[in-house]
Amino acid sequence: MLIIFRMYQTESIDFDVDLRELQGQERLDALVDFFCLLGRRVGKSVLMSAEGSPDHPDLGFDIDADRVILM
């Protein structure tokens, strides 16, 4: 799956994922694994939101729960 990183701010890691590439459980599992790996490495939650709606995440890795959850 293609992940495009955007360097907007030094205090955040922004990236884009093409949701059309998330066909099937295997691809979704890969995205969840990526969120968990990234969140654990930086010690922060990883949030996924629709383009243009950064303040309304839909899915994300919750650092306290140590798992990906629906927001």
Side-chain angles (χ1 to χ4, degrees):
M1 140 184 11
L2 179 65
I3 299 174
I4 300 171
F5 289 89
R6 310 277 184 200
M7 306 304 174
Y8 296 128
Q9 303 172 23
T10 56
E11 57 275 345
S12 68
I13 301 171
D14 298 296
F15 56 89
D16 293 330
V17 176
D18 187 345
L19 296 181
R20 294 174 292 190
E21 292 187 19
L22 292 178
Q23 300 297 318
Q25 189 65 47
E26 187 176 317
R27 290 291 192 137
L28 181 59
D29 289 344
L31 181 65
V32 167
D33 290 345
F34 172 71
F35 281 9
C36 292
L37 176 68
L38 182 60
R40 288 175 184 139
R41 289 283 173 110
V42 299
K44 294 183 178 182
S45 294
V46 177
L47 306 176
M48 184 174 101
S49 60
E51 189 171 353
S53 298
D55 297 329
H56 303 289
D58 300 307
L59 181 75
F61 173 76
D62 183 299
I63 190 72
D64 296 325
D66 194 40
R67 65 186 180 102
V68 171
I69 60 172
L70 289 173
M71 305 310 256

